[in-house]
Amino acid sequence: DRPRDRQMNDIWTYLHDPAQQWYFTSELDSRKAYVFNTLGNPHGSCILPGEEVAEQCYKALQAALRGEAFAVPDTSALPHDCTAPLRQAITQMVSLLQEVQANPAGDWQARALAAMDRVVRKSIEMRTVCWVSA
């Protein structure tokens, strides 16, 4: 919901350095977490292949939830290197959109919200403060 000129935050751009260690997990869930010292170490995220299709599905489901017209995105051009979890999330959203087209009065709203939630990035920022007395 930002103004168009503020939608992209590009102040955190890093050049690759061979000494850097990069980690990527496409199936991260509540049983696993990465912990970063965000105050002292640079960190970031990337755009995954297929996210633009997921965005189209997400926006179409938003429109369906508002009772507005929508189009089911074409997934035939989904990149071959799209991660399995993202591909599954897109497939689920497309299936729901097709269900809504066939039966708009059906019981699909809660499943649509859950499917949309699967493609929203989440992070928890935690800070630990320690007081040391001499």
Side-chain angles (χ1 to χ4, degrees):
D1 294 337
R2 294 180 181 171
R4 191 162 229 6
D5 64 334
R6 304 268 327 219
Q7 287 181 349
M8 180 71 156
N9 179 353
D10 63 353
I11 63 170
W12 296 101
T13 303
Y14 299 98
L15 295 175
H16 175 72
D17 183 288
Q20 293 173 334
Q21 294 181 10
W22 290 82
Y23 300 91
F24 172 75
T25 302
S26 66
E27 298 187 43
L28 194 63
D29 61 20
S30 62
R31 295 170 294 180
K32 185 174 183 178
Y34 289 116
V35 178
F36 297 94
N37 174 1
T38 59
L39 295 176
N41 296 317
H43 60 286
S45 63
C46 60
I47 297 172
L48 298 174
E51 281 191 3
E52 64 284 346
V53 178
E55 178 186 17
Q56 293 169 9
C57 293
Y58 186 97
K59 288 181 176 181
L61 281 172
Q62 279 184 321
L65 287 165
R66 290 190 302 262
E68 299 171 358
F70 64 89
V72 177
D74 177 19
T75 59
S76 64
L78 199 58
H80 71 281
D81 54 352
C82 178
T83 64
L86 184 56
R87 186 178 297 277
Q88 291 166 356
I90 290 168
T91 300
Q92 183 182 24
M93 289 190 290
V94 166
S95 177
L96 280 163
L97 288 165
Q98 292 168 339
E99 179 182 336
V100 175
Q101 281 183 329
N103 184 12
D107 185 25
W108 52 269
Q109 291 84 358
R111 287 180 289 128
L113 290 170
M116 293 164 65
D117 188 60
R118 286 184 67 198
V119 296
V120 175
R121 292 182 183 184
K122 299 167 188 78
S123 67
I124 300 172
E125 297 264 340
M126 299 171 55
R127 301 282 190 247
T128 302
V129 178
C130 179
W131 180 268
V132 179
S133 178

